[in-house]
């Protein structure tokens, strides 16, 4: 069968690649085409557009690039019609993908949405569009299945979190290669240029207070080397890695992490972390008024309590980061609490089983036969 996958960011590329592998395993005639990144391409997806050309974040940034976004949307529709897939698989990236889903419904194309938009956080009205346009919603957070059912009487399928499989497979095969002379603190400032430009300098300033630790920046594959060199030039003692974030986390004693998927990845590696979020003031003020969640990190959202410290906007400064990092490094009670909370988190996430395997089976079952 013919599958068309759309992922618009690094995390979607990761999960899309594992889904693609499972689709090929379960369907030997799978024809895969889509939008994503290097991982999806290496998994057998004929790549139409790379996610690095789609990465706009924040309200102001989206408005500034609206013309490009609309051109991408038109091109995407044209390509889908040329390919005419049996099923369209949308992976997170809701601002774009929900528009594609709405259009696909008018074209008689069946739609599976893998990794639900965070409608429980904001824009809950999107559920109406999801119910009307998505044939199968696959969720990866334990509370989402109950949320959809109790608030909207909408049946969705919990398949487990795909990062459990990814991290477990990595740790089973990982053999340390890097030899650091000091205990490692990982810096994960994000994958989009505008977020890295704001957050990484703040993290680096805090690093000056810990001369006995080796700070290592995880560079995003989609960002050019010259961009990082400009930021790091005044921090000669700070090292960096590219395309090797998991190996870095496997060696890390603690981490400074931007919000998003990276917070969960860090937790699954068992690394104590401080979550650092800082964006443009206008985007932050708008989001603050619209978003209905208590936390910004996936770890705290899933656990529904402050397992990891979140330093947001004005609180995200070198002094506060230094204070919280010292607790993680030197406070034994704090370290024990983090270890216990991470264990409980893993128990919650693995309830669904192998997420990629279950998601692929659901996609194949939903696909419209060519003869229909």
């Amino acid at each position: 069968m013919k599958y068309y996958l759309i992922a618009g960011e690094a995390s979607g590329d990761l999960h899309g690649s594992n889904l693609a592998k499972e689709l090929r395993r379960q369907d030997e005639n799978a024809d895969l085409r889509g939008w994503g990144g290097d991982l999806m391409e290496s998994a057998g997806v004929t790549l139409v557009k790379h996610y690095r050309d789609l990465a706009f974040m924040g309200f102001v940034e989206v408005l500034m690039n609206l013309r490009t976004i609309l051109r991408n949307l038109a091109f995407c529709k044209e390509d889908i019609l040329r390919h005419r897939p049996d099923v369209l698989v949308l992976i997170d990236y809701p601002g774009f993908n929900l528009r594609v889903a709405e259009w696909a419904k008018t074209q008689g194309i069946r739609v599976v949405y893998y990794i639900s938009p965070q409608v429980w956080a904001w824009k809950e009205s999107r559920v109406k569009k999801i119910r009307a346009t998505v044939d199968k919603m696959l969720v990866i957070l334990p509370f989402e299945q109950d949320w959809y059912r109790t608030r909207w009487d909408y049946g969705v399928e919990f398949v487990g979190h795909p990062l459990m499989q990814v991290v477990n497979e990595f740790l089973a095969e990982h053999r340390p290669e890097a030899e650091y002379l000091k205990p490692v603190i990982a810096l994960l400032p994000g994958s989009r240029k505008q977020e890295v430009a704001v957050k990484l300098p703040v993290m680096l300033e805090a690093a000056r207070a810990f001369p006995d630790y080796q700070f290592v920046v995880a560079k995003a594959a989609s960002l050019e080397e010259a961009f990082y060199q400009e930021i790091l030039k005044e921090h000669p003692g700070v090292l960096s890695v590219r395309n090797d974030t998991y190996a870095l986390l496997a060696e890390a004693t603690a981490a400074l992490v931007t919000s998003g998927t990276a917070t969960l990845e860090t937790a699954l590696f068992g690394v104590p972390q401080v979550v650092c979020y800082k964006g443009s003031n206008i985007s932050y003020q708008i989001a603050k008024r619209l978003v209905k969640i208590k936390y910004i990190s996936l770890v705290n959202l899933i656990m529904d309590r402050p397992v990891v410290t979140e330093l947001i906007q004005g609180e995200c400064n070198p002094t506060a980061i230094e204070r919280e990092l010292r607790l993680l490094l030197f406070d034994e009670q704090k370290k024990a609490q983090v270890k216990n909370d991470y264990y409980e988190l893993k128990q919650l996430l693995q309830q669904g089983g192998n997420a990629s395997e279950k998601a692929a089976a659901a996609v194949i079952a939903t696909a419209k036969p060519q003869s229909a």
Side-chain angles (χ1 to χ4, degrees):
M1 286 188 290
K2 296 166 72 174
Y3 307 88
Y4 200 105
L5 289 66
I6 302 178
E9 51 199 352
S11 60
D13 180 40
L14 172 63
H15 302 320
S17 69
N18 287 317
L19 177 62
K21 293 173 187 175
E22 275 296 327
L23 287 171
R24 294 178 66 194
R25 188 181 70 82
Q26 296 182 31
D27 177 5
E28 60 183 16
N29 297 313
D31 177 1
L32 302 168
R33 184 177 178 86
W35 298 34
D38 298 341
L39 294 177
M40 286 175 63
E41 188 171 32
S42 66
V45 178
T46 299
L47 206 64
V48 178
K49 189 174 282 286
H50 200 287
Y51 70 79
R52 63 172 163 258
D53 300 322
L54 311 172
F56 307 115
M57 66 174 294
F59 299 97
V60 176
E61 293 83 0
V62 168
L63 288 174
M64 291 174 61
N65 292 281
L66 187 57
R67 184 174 297 180
T68 299
I69 293 169
L70 293 175
R71 278 200 303 264
N72 285 337
L73 186 60
F75 172 69
C76 182
K77 294 175 181 178
E78 292 170 4
D79 194 64
I80 292 172
L81 285 179
R82 281 194 296 267
H83 188 60
R84 203 68 197 183
D86 295 291
V87 62
L88 175 63
V89 184
L90 307 174
I91 305 170
D92 203 0
Y93 198 51
F96 187 88
N97 275 340
L98 284 178
R99 288 182 173 87
V100 176
E102 189 173 24
W103 166 84
K105 186 69 173 182
T106 68
Q107 302 299 313
I109 300 171
R110 296 183 68 76
V111 177
V112 174
Y113 210 119
Y114 180 39
I115 306 178
S116 169
Q118 295 178 350
V119 285
W120 33 266
W122 75 307
K123 289 190 176 180
E124 186 173 337
S125 60
R126 281 177 167 176
V127 180
K128 297 176 183 177
K129 182 180 292 187
I130 291 171
R131 291 181 61 172
T133 61
V134 174
D135 295 286
K136 186 70 173 179
M137 172 64 76
L138 306 176
V139 301
I140 64 172
L141 300 177
F143 62 81
E144 290 179 316
Q145 192 170 35
D146 286 340
W147 185 90
Y148 271 108
R149 185 181 67 249
T150 57
R151 290 187 66 89
W152 288 91
D153 192 28
Y154 179 47
V156 303
E157 182 178 349
F158 173 57
V159 295
H161 204 292
L163 280 180
M164 286 293 300
Q165 172 195 353
V166 173
V167 172
N168 288 340
E169 288 178 354
F170 178 88
L171 289 173
E173 299 175 0
H174 176 62
R175 298 294 179 269
E177 294 182 2
E179 296 183 2
Y180 297 105
L181 300 179
K182 303 176 184 178
V184 171
I185 307 296
L187 304 183
L188 279 61
S191 60
R192 298 182 180 93
K193 180 173 288 188
Q194 56 263 48
E195 67 177 347
V196 176
V198 172
K199 298 169 191 173
L200 182 53
V202 181
M203 294 177 176
L204 292 170
E205 282 303 310
R208 296 182 188 277
F210 298 88
D212 295 331
Y213 289 82
Q214 179 63 65
F215 284 76
V216 184
V217 178
K219 297 176 179 176
S222 58
L223 300 181
E224 62 274 13
E225 191 64 30
F227 167 71
Y228 285 104
Q229 289 177 351
E230 183 64 25
I231 298 175
L232 292 171
K233 64 183 181 181
E234 295 184 9
H235 302 272
V238 175
L239 302 179
S240 62
V241 298
R242 185 181 291 273
N243 297 325
D244 220 7
T245 301
Y246 280 11
L248 172 59
L249 286 174
E251 301 301 313
T253 300
L256 304 179
V257 189
T258 192
S259 58
T261 304
T263 64
L264 186 55
E265 290 173 309
T266 302
L268 294 179
F269 273 90
V271 180
Q273 63 184 295
V274 180
V275 176
C276 307
Y277 176 83
K278 197 177 185 71
S280 74
N281 189 57
I282 295 175
S283 291
Y284 173 71
Q285 292 300 328
I286 295 172
K288 186 177 179 181
R289 287 159 175 77
L290 294 178
V291 177
K292 301 181 297 183
I293 54 176
K294 293 185 289 184
Y295 309 108
I296 64 168
S297 70
L298 277 176
V299 174
N300 291 347
L301 282 168
I302 294 168
M303 296 292 284
D304 195 28
R305 65 175 189 267
V307 171
V308 297
T309 298
E310 299 178 351
L311 299 177
I312 304 173
Q313 208 64 4
E315 294 179 346
C316 183
N317 59 69
T319 300
I321 293 174
E322 177 189 344
R323 179 189 68 236
E324 297 301 327
L325 188 53
R326 287 192 182 282
L327 285 175
L328 294 179
L329 293 173
F330 307 123
D331 188 311
E332 295 301 323
Q333 184 176 351
K334 180 68 173 180
K335 289 194 281 187
Q337 172 251 311
V338 170
K339 182 178 180 179
N340 291 336
D341 286 339
Y342 279 179
Y343 175 81
E344 186 178 337
L345 173 71
K346 292 178 183 179
Q347 298 306 303
L348 281 173
L349 292 179
Q350 65 189 12
Q351 291 174 5
N354 186 315
S356 299
E357 181 179 324
K358 293 183 69 175
V363 168
I364 293 170
T366 308
K368 185 177 182 180
Q370 293 181 353
S371 59

